[in-house]
Amino acid sequence: MSLSSKDKDIVRAFWAKIGGKADEIGADALGRMLMVYPQSKTYFAHWKDLSPGSAPVKKHGKTVMAGVGNAVAKIDDLAGGLLTLSELHAFTLRVDPANFKSLAHCFLVVLAITYPTDFTPEVHLAVDKFLAALARALSEKYR
Amino acid sequence: MVEWTDFERATIQGIFDKMEYEVVGPAALCRCLVVYPWTQRYFGNFGNLYNAAAILANPLVAKHGTTILHGLDRALKNMDNIKATYAELSVLHSEKLHVDPDNFKLLSDCLTVVIAAKMGADFTPDVQAAFQKFLSVVVSALGRQYH
């Protein structure tokens, strides 16, 4: 299920379309994940407020989206490009990779809400593949 | 037995009250067949599924999408006993249709995306949580009779 050049073009184009909204989308997706998949909250027990729209959620949504943006830029070599982030997630954060799927799904939901006509099945396919590839790259160093 | 809050019951009922079955059903099934192409294995006799455009134009897909969505009505009417309500359908999917139950989750994710697009900002995080809880209960019930 590797990314075809068509997939990459679609992802790059959609990321360009998202532009400045990235932080907002990231915060929304993160907030949704915490609410829809309560097990994900276990990684944020140190936050004062885990509700959608809260300050820590907004801040962290921005951090996550910066990572996604970096992945889009390095789309031709995700494993290489995300090496440091993979080490972080593997050795320090130790996030169970199942949670990457939960966040990816919430990200897709936010895209559907924000771009109801442009988020066609073909775009959905390309973005879903990309997020899966991103998750795989992030899990590289786990074991 | 699954516990439903008043908010969850009202939210789910509200979504289905406004449901355009003939739009959402086909959209969800089409999306599933495009995003997860291996699900096409169950629709060998549906004719042209060659590409996204063909799938979206396929009348058999559209009809079946509507049928599947109406299948959720019985869960809505029996929220306190979804498990028993789907026992027969579970046997059908297992013994006759031989559908891998993992596919139910794929379709339910696509349905969530379609509903999100339709409802826009009204599909808030807590509405999403209620809707996904409902779908996961149905998915679990549909997988229950497999052996």
Side-chain angles (χ1 to χ4, degrees), chain A residues 1 22 25 35 42-43 79 88 120 135:
Chain A
M1 295 205 255
I25 288 175
M35 187 163 269
T42 56
Y43 297 96
L88 176 74
T120 60

Side-chain angles (χ1 to χ4, degrees), chain B residues 6 13 16 25 32 39 42 49 51 55 87 90 109 111 126 131 141:
Chain B
D6 291 339
Q13 186 67 55
F16 279 88
C32 188
T39 57
Y42 302 107
L49 299 177
N51 52 35
I55 291 169
S90 179
D109 283 349
L111 179 58
D126 42 13
F131 189 64

Side-chain angles (χ1 to χ4, degrees), chain A residues 1 32 35-37 52 105-106 108-109 112-113 116 119-122 124-125 128, chain B residues 31 34-36 38 52 109 112-113 116-117 120-121 123-126 128-129 132:
Chain A
M1 295 205 255
R32 276 169 197 274
M35 187 163 269
V36 179
Y37 303 97
H105 172 73
C106 290
L108 297 173
V109 166
I113 290 170
F119 193 62
T120 60
E122 281 140 314
H124 179 162
L125 168 62
D128 193 37
Chain B
R31 198 164 277 257
V34 170
V35 178
Y36 309 108
W38 54 92
D109 283 349
T112 303
V113 166
F123 198 63
T124 59
D126 42 13
Q128 181 183 348
Q132 288 200 214

Side-chain angles (χ1 to χ4, degrees), chain A residues 32-43 50 99, chain B residues 129:
Chain A
R32 276 169 197 274
M33 180 188 71
L34 296 168
M35 187 163 269
V36 179
Y37 303 97
Q39 72 195 61
S40 61
K41 291 196 289 191
T42 56
Y43 297 96
L50 287 149
N99 294 281

Side-chain angles (χ1 to χ4, degrees), chain A residues 43-110:
Chain A
Y43 297 96
F44 303 102
H46 55 286
W47 284 358
K48 281 210 168 64
D49 186 355
L50 287 149
S51 55
S54 71
V57 169
K58 278 198 170 131
K59 180 164 180 271
H60 198 63
K62 215 172 150 179
T63 307
V64 169
M65 286 312 265
V68 175
N70 180 37
V72 175
K74 309 256 169 75
I75 203 169
D76 290 317
D77 178 20
L78 285 171
L82 297 173
L83 189 63
T84 329
L85 269 177
S86 180
E87 285 172 347
L88 176 74
H89 284 76
F91 305 129
T92 312
L93 304 176
R94 287 176 291 194
V95 175
D96 189 309
N99 294 281
F100 300 151
K101 270 194 167 175
S102 308
L103 183 57
H105 172 73
C106 290
F107 184 62
L108 297 173
V109 166
V110 177

